[in-house]
Amino acid sequence: MLRKPETTDGSAIWALVRECKPLDENSMYCNLIQADHFRDTCVVAEVDGEILGWISGHMIPNDDAFFVWQVAVSPKARGMGLGRKMLTHLIERDECGEAKALKTTITEDNDASWGLFRSFAKHVGGELTDEPHYHEEDHFDGHHDTEHMVTISLPEMDDDLAKAA
């Protein structure tokens, strides 16, 4: 079941993110705030009471774009298209209805994320572009690889596409 997170999901989300290396780990409090303040633009995938998937995101202020901060899929649920299903679910929500593009940042070596977002772009018929955005030296003081800003154009989705996700 895909649903909006509840505040009581914060610790389970935090544990899932920790299980999904190499994702950056936020504090449990950060995940609690995301599940509370940003619940309308985040999603959890729950099976038999266990959270197996999580996407945090938000609409970018003064931009017609939805930004995906983090995607986590439990090793128990990988290879089932859950990431793409959650992304499609999010962009179909009324809260993301104004988005003309989906944006995210990905390091060059994160093959799983590149695969997910390329698959999603193909699925929605959107164009994927990328460029270095947060630079290793300029923004991370050499402590983190450069993050590429990935932009996927979001054509109008019809009901058939949303169901096929």
Side-chain angles (χ1 to χ4, degrees):
M1 167 174 73
L2 302 181
R3 63 173 175 79
K4 292 180 180 181
E6 302 290 334
T7 57
T8 53
D9 295 325
S11 64
I13 292 166
W14 179 76
L16 173 64
V17 170
R18 291 180 57 130
E19 179 182 25
C20 295
K21 305 293 182 205
L23 287 180
D24 288 335
E25 295 177 20
N26 300 303
S27 69
M28 188 183 298
Y29 185 71
C30 175
N31 293 131
L32 170 66
I33 293 297
Q34 289 172 317
D36 188 14
H37 296 187
F38 296 96
R39 73 182 305 266
D40 291 338
T41 55
C42 294
V43 63
V44 293
E46 182 179 30
V47 177
D48 297 328
E50 183 179 5
I51 293 177
L52 298 178
W54 159 252
I55 295 180
S56 57
H58 61 271
M59 289 296 295
I60 300 173
N62 306 313
D63 195 352
D64 293 335
F66 175 66
F67 184 82
V68 173
W69 181 353
Q70 205 164 44
V71 177
V73 175
S74 169
K76 298 175 192 174
R78 292 191 184 148
M80 301 177 354
L82 184 57
R84 191 175 81 190
K85 288 175 185 172
M86 290 189 297
L87 287 171
T88 303
H89 175 86
L90 281 169
I91 65 165
E92 283 294 304
R93 282 195 189 157
D94 290 342
E95 293 86 355
C96 301
E98 300 299 315
K100 305 277 189 262
L102 180 146
K103 295 184 177 189
T104 194
T105 59
I106 308 173
T107 56
E108 266 187 327
D109 64 348
N110 190 333
D111 294 334
S113 286
W114 285 107
L116 169 62
F117 286 97
R118 284 183 179 125
S119 170
F120 175 76
K122 183 177 178 182
H123 177 68
V124 299
E127 180 184 355
L128 183 149
T129 59
D130 76 276
E131 61 184 347
H133 188 71
Y134 294 121
H135 298 267
E136 181 175 2
E137 294 303 325
D138 296 339
H139 298 100
F140 296 114
D141 234 6
H143 298 285
H144 190 288
D145 291 341
T146 294
E147 294 272 355
H148 287 246
M149 180 64 74
V150 173
T151 302
I152 299 171
S153 60
L154 294 176
E156 280 287 319
M157 287 184 63
D158 60 32
D159 291 337
D160 292 338
L161 184 60
K163 290 175 187 167

